[in-house]
Amino acid sequence: LRTSPLFLSPQDLYTAPDSCEGRCREPYNPEDECHCNAECERHHNCCEDYYRHCREEGFSSSRDAITDEDLLQVSEQLYKADHNKARPTDIAINPQYQASPDETDDQEDRSPLPLYKYVNEELFSKPTYASFIKLLDNYQRATGREEEVTAKELREQDNFLREVMKTELMKKLFAFLHKKNRYGSEQEFLADLKEMWFGLYSRGDGEQDSSGFEHVFSGEVKKGKVSGFHNWIRFYLLEKQGSVNYFSHNFEGPWDTYPDVLGLQFSWDGFYKEVGSAFIGSSPEFEFGLYTLCFIARPGRGCHLSLGGYSLSIQTYPWTKSTYGNGKKYIATAYVISS
């Protein structure tokens, strides 16, 4: 009996580590880059093509998928629920020079005046703002330096999470994620928020020196450049102190009210940020909620939303070098990528 040789293509011999093809219901392995088992949606660590290959199996069904249309609808709900955002009379900004794409990295200050002409600081007495601001001085901005988290700082984290979860905005976000089978209870959601945002990981040489919250909201300095730092309140407070110098902006959102969006060039004690995109005038819970939504729904990809009828996209990235719980990913960064 003669047998013809069997030729296998590389695809037949090799399952890509970032794909669910041929891996549906595969047992959990912490060494896997992403997962295809029944629990991966709950732990938001599924491979990007999970729905394509496994959607009718195990944990997920098609009704649990977060569709592009779902994101447009829920982001409009969150936009309408941002009752703590600035009113048009609360903030006056002076954007001055608009930089072209080839000018954003030249570190030239083309705006002689501060960005913020006026902010009504009564906003900062609202509970979510006050608890948010208390978190901002809890971090050493240089990567590679171990963060020491005190009992007081842990209480401040818990207080901020408690305050944001009291808001209609975060309750709507939880209701959406609960309906989509991502969380069984508000307590589970709260515990996961604390880990994904405040859990420490290493951007340096093994030191627990960073977290999603520090990177996105407080800002870091890595290799002589500003890293992260996408929050308007932090920017305003440091500009008022004289440690942030506004240089220019390269895009501005279409809104005639708040929250608006701005792409900024600035220096922080001499360290430069080429494009620091930020919402302007939004409440802390609005940014926190939108970034969380996009991290859970579209980690590592553009997350397309609708705010007041305008299109907007957010980019998030998971931290891939360490995990928590059952292989869950920390937030590496989150920011607005379009106006």
Side-chain angles (χ1 to χ4, degrees):
L1 180 68
R2 290 183 61 194
T3 57
S4 56
L6 180 63
F7 293 100
L8 293 177
S9 69
Q11 288 92 330
D12 295 321
L13 295 168
Y14 172 72
T15 301
D18 58 353
S19 171
C20 280
E21 188 171 4
R23 293 177 55 205
C24 297
R25 292 187 287 188
E26 179 181 78
Y28 172 77
N29 182 336
E31 294 181 4
D32 287 340
E33 193 171 315
C34 57
H35 304 278
C36 309
N37 61 0
E39 289 292 310
C40 74
E41 277 208 303
R42 192 171 197 125
H43 298 301
H44 42 88
N45 57 18
C46 299
C47 299
E48 284 192 17
D49 61 1
Y50 174 72
Y51 284 116
R52 187 146 49 90
H53 296 297
C54 314
R55 75 187 317 167
E56 299 304 333
E57 303 180 40
F59 169 79
S60 174
S61 66
S62 55
R63 66 186 167 80
D64 293 328
I66 297 176
T67 66
D68 290 347
E69 185 60 34
D70 287 334
L71 288 173
L72 297 177
Q73 289 177 1
V74 74
S75 54
E76 283 289 2
Q77 290 175 18
L78 301 183
Y79 180 77
K80 289 183 178 72
D82 188 14
H83 306 305
N84 286 329
K85 68 184 176 186
R87 296 162 303 183
T89 53
D90 286 331
I91 300 176
I93 60 173
N94 185 11
Q96 300 164 82
Y97 188 81
Q98 182 158 1
S100 64
D102 58 353
E103 291 175 323
T104 58
D105 65 348
D106 65 9
Q107 305 193 30
E108 192 172 327
D109 184 358
R110 295 181 169 90
S111 301
L113 300 174
L115 174 62
Y116 287 93
K117 286 196 282 192
Y118 168 75
V119 171
N120 176 9
E121 293 193 11
E122 286 181 17
L123 281 171
F124 300 160
S125 63
K126 292 176 184 249
T128 56
Y129 285 80
S131 58
F132 173 82
I133 289 167
K134 281 189 175 160
L135 294 168
L136 295 175
D137 64 357
N138 288 355
Y139 301 101
Q140 302 190 59
R141 68 183 177 188
T143 58
R145 293 176 64 187
E146 186 97 15
E147 292 290 347
E148 293 178 22
V149 184
T150 66
K152 176 173 176 280
E153 289 169 354
L154 286 171
R155 285 196 300 273
E156 289 173 351
Q157 292 173 11
D158 290 336
N159 188 46
F160 171 70
L161 291 170
R162 260 197 314 272
E163 292 299 339
V164 296
M165 285 307 300
K166 290 177 188 174
T167 65
E168 183 189 345
L169 187 152
M170 289 297 287
K171 287 189 180 300
K172 280 186 181 296
L173 175 60
F174 167 70
F176 172 77
L177 295 172
H178 178 64
K179 181 182 168 191
K180 292 293 184 180
N181 222 0
R182 299 309 193 273
Y183 296 98
S185 67
E186 200 169 295
Q187 290 72 23
E188 185 188 345
F189 181 45
L190 195 61
D192 201 35
L193 285 172
K194 183 163 186 178
E195 286 294 336
M196 76 168 79
W197 279 104
F198 293 102
L200 293 173
Y201 50 81
S202 175
R203 287 184 193 263
D205 300 314
E207 308 87 354
Q208 298 292 89
D209 63 343
S210 188
S211 68
F213 187 92
E214 176 186 6
H215 181 85
V216 172
F217 294 106
S218 184
E220 299 180 291
V221 171
K222 185 175 183 181
K223 296 180 180 174
K225 288 190 175 180
V226 176
S227 181
F229 197 142
H230 299 285
N231 179 254
W232 76 271
I233 300 167
R234 174 70 159 163
F235 189 101
Y236 165 74
L237 293 171
L238 290 178
E239 186 179 60
K240 185 181 172 186
Q241 273 175 228
S243 55
V244 157
N245 180 18
Y246 170 71
F247 282 18
S248 55
H249 69 288
N250 63 304
F251 68 79
E252 193 170 355
W255 292 269
D256 55 7
T257 182
Y258 297 113
D260 204 346
V261 171
L262 212 57
L264 310 169
Q265 289 71 53
F266 62 91
S267 76
W268 180 16
D269 291 333
F271 300 106
Y272 187 64
K273 180 72 176 179
E274 187 175 330
V275 181
S277 58
F279 287 103
I280 310 289
S282 58
S283 68
E285 61 266 28
F286 179 80
E287 289 178 79
F288 193 71
L290 280 196
Y291 292 153
T292 298
L293 169 68
C294 286
F295 181 67
I296 291 169
R298 300 288 186 271
R301 288 175 282 161
C303 177
H304 307 303
L305 309 178
S306 179
L307 303 181
Y310 290 102
S311 298
L312 176 133
S313 299
I314 285 170
Q315 178 73 48
T316 65
Y317 286 104
W319 186 253
T320 58
K321 296 176 185 173
S322 55
T323 59
Y324 67 92
N326 185 19
K328 293 186 185 182
K329 302 283 200 316
Y330 299 104
I331 291 176
T333 193
Y335 53 89
V336 182
I337 57 173
S338 70
S339 56

